[in-house]
Amino acid sequence: MKKLALIFIVFAASCTTATRISDRAVSSSNTIHVNGKLFTTVFQQRASEYRALCYQAYNIARLRVDQLPQPAEKPFAIMTDIDETVLSNAAYQAHQTLQGKDYDAATWYDWTGRADADTVPGALSFLNYASSKGIKIFYVTNRDEIERKGTLSNLQKFNFPDAVNEHLFLKGEISSKEPRKQHILKDYQIVLLIGDNLNDLSQAFEKKSPDDRMKVTDSLSLQFGKSLIVLPNAVYGDWENALYQYNYKLTPAQRDSILRASLHSY
C-alpha cells in the first residue's frame, strides 16, 4: 500500500507540473518568433556549448592581452558591451518568453533595476586579468540613462574592474557607439573591442541589410579573434533587426513570414 501511495503522489505531482507547463504553452503565441526565442534562451541557459563558446572568446582575448607591447603614446583600454557580453539577461528573456511576450521597455527597466543579471562565462575573469595588466576597461552599452544605477550596482556586485560612472557610457541620444568610441580614443588606445552584436565593434555594420552585413563581416575576417572579440547571442540583436529592415512595429505574424522567407532550403 505504501508503494502504491508513493506512486500516486509522484504521478499527481507530475500531472500538476505538466499542467503548469501546458498552461504556459497555451498562453504563449504559437509563432517562430516567440517560440524561437524560447529555444535560443534554453540554449543560452542550458547548453554547455554556449558556455564553451564564451570561454573560447575570452581565452582568445587573454592571449591577445599577453601579446600586447608596452603602451606607446597612450595607455591601453578595452571597450566592451554589457548585455550578453559581460552580463547575461537570459533570465529576463525566459520570463518574457514563457508568457508569450517579447522585449518591452517597462519590464526591461524593472529587470535592469533589480541588478540581478548573472555574469557571462569567462567575462569577469578576463576583465580582471586585463585590469591587472594596467589596461583600463570601458563599458559602452545602449542601456538608457535611467538604468545607470542598476547597471553599476550589477557590475559592482561582482567586482568588475573600473565599474564606476566615469567608465560607463550609456546610450544618450543615439544608439551608434562610434561617438563614444571616439571619445575614449582621445586619451586611450583601444586594443580590444568586445561585444555580442557586430554593431558593438564597428559602425560599418549599422543599419545595413543582412547581405551587406555579411560582406562587411568577410572584409573584417582577419580581425575577428585579433582586435575584435564576438560573444554568441542567438536570442536577439541586429542580425534579427536587419532581417526586419529595422521595422520595430512588425507583428509576430509578420516577423514569422520574414523569417520563413529568409531561409535557404532545397
Side-chain angles (χ1 to χ4, degrees):
M1 286 296 293
K2 288 184 179 180
K3 287 184 178 180
L4 288 174
L6 179 60
I7 291 171
F8 176 78
I9 292 170
V10 172
F11 176 74
S14 65
C15 286
T16 302
T17 302
T19 300
R20 290 198 207 104
I21 294 172
S22 176
D23 288 344
R24 281 178 172 175
V26 169
S27 68
S28 63
S29 302
N30 186 23
T31 67
I32 295 175
H33 174 67
V34 173
N35 291 339
K37 289 185 181 295
L38 174 64
F39 194 84
T40 53
T41 301
V42 172
F43 174 77
Q44 187 168 325
Q45 287 190 332
R46 305 299 298 170
S48 297
E49 287 79 1
Y50 165 80
R51 199 169 187 83
L53 287 169
C54 294
Y55 284 133
Q56 178 174 265
Y58 281 116
N59 285 343
I60 292 171
R62 184 181 288 245
L63 288 174
R64 296 297 169 253
V65 164
D66 288 340
Q67 293 169 349
L68 290 172
Q70 291 299 314
E73 298 179 1
K74 297 179 181 179
F76 289 153
I78 289 173
M79 175 175 154
T80 180
D81 178 49
I82 291 180
D83 297 308
E84 278 46 79
T85 300
V86 299
L87 294 179
S88 171
N89 301 293
Y92 169 78
Q93 191 62 53
H95 176 269
Q96 292 298 99
T97 304
L98 288 173
Q99 299 181 72
K101 298 177 181 178
D102 201 354
Y103 163 92
D104 69 73
T107 57
W108 173 254
Y109 290 156
D110 173 72
W111 164 249
T112 57
R114 294 168 182 255
D116 202 28
D118 200 354
T119 61
V120 169
L124 181 59
S125 175
F126 165 70
L127 291 179
N128 278 328
Y129 180 74
S131 179
S132 75
K133 299 293 184 179
I135 300 173
K136 292 298 180 181
I137 314 301
F138 288 89
Y139 302 92
V140 182
T141 173
N142 277 347
R143 290 187 177 194
D144 292 325
E145 185 62 38
I146 194 175
E147 301 172 82
R148 180 177 291 275
K149 181 180 178 181
T151 301
L152 279 176
S153 294
N154 210 154
L155 293 170
Q156 291 168 355
K157 179 168 69 174
F158 295 106
N159 294 316
F160 273 96
D162 294 318
V164 294
N165 273 315
E166 294 76 16
H167 285 248
L168 175 61
F169 289 74
L170 297 161
K171 184 169 67 174
E173 296 181 357
I174 61 173
S175 60
S176 174
K177 295 187 175 182
E178 187 62 23
R180 287 168 280 175
K181 176 182 174 183
Q182 293 303 321
H183 180 80
I184 296 168
L185 285 171
K186 290 178 182 179
D187 299 312
Y188 295 89
Q189 178 183 345
I190 297 176
V191 294
L192 284 177
L193 291 153
I194 309 175
D196 65 294
N197 187 339
L198 292 176
N199 291 26
D200 298 329
L201 312 180
S202 172
Q203 65 176 342
F205 292 98
E206 293 175 11
K207 299 301 180 182
K208 293 289 196 305
S209 69
D211 288 344
D212 285 342
R213 293 180 95 245
M214 291 288 189
K215 291 175 183 177
V216 177
T217 302
D218 291 344
S219 72
L220 296 175
S221 61
L222 296 180
Q223 294 304 310
F224 295 110
K226 188 175 180 181
S227 61
L228 308 178
I229 304 295
V230 186
L231 278 295
N233 181 3
V235 181
Y236 68 91
D238 278 295
W239 63 267
E240 180 186 4
N241 296 330
L243 291 171
Y244 306 143
Q245 298 182 4
Y246 305 96
N247 183 349
Y248 303 105
K249 296 181 180 180
L250 295 176
T251 66
Q254 289 171 323
R255 294 184 183 191
D256 275 13
S257 296
I258 293 170
L259 291 175
R260 291 177 186 276
S262 71
L263 292 173
H264 296 282
S265 186
Y266 63 91

